[in-house]
Amino acid sequence: MRIYNFENDRSLSTDELYMKEALRLAQRAFEEDEVPIGAIIVSQGKIIGKGYNLTERLNDVTAHAEMQAFTAASNFIGGKYLKDCTLYVTIEPCVMCAGASYWTQISRIVYGAKDEKRGFAKFNEQIIHPKTEIFGGVMEGDCAALIKSFFRNKR
Amino acid sequence: MRIYNFENDRSLSTDELYMKEALRLAQRAFEEDEVPIGAIIVSQGKIIGKGYNLTERLNDVTAHAEMQAFTAASNFIGGKYLKDCTLYVTIEPCVMCAGASYWTQISRIVYGAKDEKRGFAKFNEQIIHPKTEIFGGVMEGDCAALIKSFFRNKR
């Protein structure tokens, strides 16, 4: 676990800085030929959980970036509730990941680009816990571009 | 992995026999002071994945019975799609688990008792993959009784 070095990007907001970190993880997924989605969980200025999509390598649909980040953060905290934590994820969480976020009661979710097809909001916005604040569109262009580039290469 | 011994319960249907196996796992969760939910995945008459709720012991909300069964079955098969598989689970899957089932494209889900509060159907039935057949109410009484007894003891 490490503290982000704020010296580098003075022009970016805190949310953008953390999203950049999630994007770096998404980039790693891309390099491993996985759908490029990355996630981190931040508590009191510290990254306490990380993940990037590993569904292909692990042959396991549950290995989404967010799920790994939830497990890592819970492990770090030693408890299953992620109060006072923020999830940064490059793409809007799917139903599974949004459903998992409900159980964590996480304080805040910040995502990059919307997922019109499998994003949770299309199904029911109340999947998210009432205590969770949700905010989308942070570094949306970069997050979406990475995914688009991945699927363009696949065709 | 083992094949269920059909000799014991000739009066029960195949679905009930498998649900009994899921119930046995739920009972194990109960004994470990976990919300008592059990799940198995069956393919061609063989149990290829099992799980029971371990969210407390693992401090991890993603450790639902179904999630563990999905991971185990995918590991057994060596692939992430659970076509020609049936999930038996004692309680209607929550949004997270139903969302995971979508990604597996599992052929069939059989559940015991309905979960009026966090069952997926309340949120949106289309969380389930169009290729997945869903069937509830198998050994409903036993499945519900176990959960009720757990929460009664907690009060």
Side-chain angles (χ1 to χ4, degrees), chain A residues 43-126:
Chain A
S43 174
Q44 300 175 305
K46 262 170 90 179
I47 297 176
I48 62 163
K50 291 185 179 191
Y52 61 93
N53 183 35
L54 282 174
T55 49
E56 297 303 322
R57 201 212 294 175
L58 301 181
N59 269 331
D60 187 347
V61 301
T62 73
H64 280 193
E66 300 95 312
M67 302 298 273
Q68 294 176 67
F70 288 142
T71 298
S74 296
N75 193 44
F76 180 84
I77 286 175
K80 64 192 173 119
Y81 296 115
L82 301 178
K83 292 168 185 177
D84 304 315
C85 292
T86 300
L87 165 71
Y88 291 89
V89 56
T90 53
I91 303 291
E92 180 191 355
C94 75
V95 168
M96 170 179 74
C97 295
S101 82
Y102 175 91
W103 295 117
T104 68
Q105 300 188 20
I106 197 163
S107 306
R108 198 159 165 258
I109 297 175
V110 179
Y111 67 84
K114 239 187 132 45
D115 177 354
E116 299 292 351
K117 217 172 150 198
R118 291 301 303 175
F120 78 91
K122 186 185 134 183
F123 293 87
N124 189 333
E125 295 194 353
Q126 284 169 22

Side-chain angles (χ1 to χ4, degrees), chain B residues 9-153:
Chain B
D9 295 287
R10 288 214 173 277
S11 60
L12 296 180
S13 72
T14 308
D15 279 349
E16 286 168 325
L17 284 167
Y18 285 127
M19 190 58 82
K20 258 186 97 165
E21 193 67 21
L23 258 168
R24 252 194 283 271
L25 291 162
Q27 182 64 41
R28 213 183 295 175
F30 187 98
E31 286 156 14
E32 296 183 23
D33 210 26
E34 299 274 357
V35 174
I37 301 175
I40 62 167
I41 290 170
V42 174
S43 175
Q44 300 176 307
K46 261 169 89 181
I47 297 175
I48 63 163
K50 290 183 180 192
Y52 60 92
N53 183 34
L54 282 173
T55 49
E56 296 304 323
R57 200 211 295 175
L58 300 180
N59 268 331
D60 186 349
V61 301
T62 73
H64 280 192
E66 302 95 311
M67 302 299 272
Q68 294 176 67
F70 288 143
T71 298
S74 296
N75 193 43
F76 181 85
I77 287 175
K80 65 192 171 118
Y81 296 115
L82 301 178
K83 292 167 186 177
D84 304 315
C85 292
T86 300
L87 166 71
Y88 291 89
V89 57
T90 54
I91 303 291
E92 180 191 354
C94 76
V95 168
M96 172 180 72
C97 296
S101 82
Y102 175 92
W103 295 118
T104 68
Q105 299 186 21
I106 197 163
S107 305
R108 198 158 165 260
I109 297 175
V110 178
Y111 67 84
K114 237 186 133 47
D115 178 355
E116 298 292 352
K117 217 173 149 195
R118 290 302 301 175
F120 78 90
K122 185 186 134 183
F123 293 88
N124 189 331
E125 294 193 353
Q126 284 170 21
I127 287 171
I128 299 293
H129 198 282
K131 287 182 189 159
T132 305
E133 185 200 341
I134 188 142
F135 185 58
V138 173
M139 302 193 74
E140 187 176 2
D142 292 334
C143 294
L146 192 62
I147 287 267
K148 271 179 205 150
S149 155
F150 178 82
F151 285 111
R152 201 166 37 234
N153 291 348

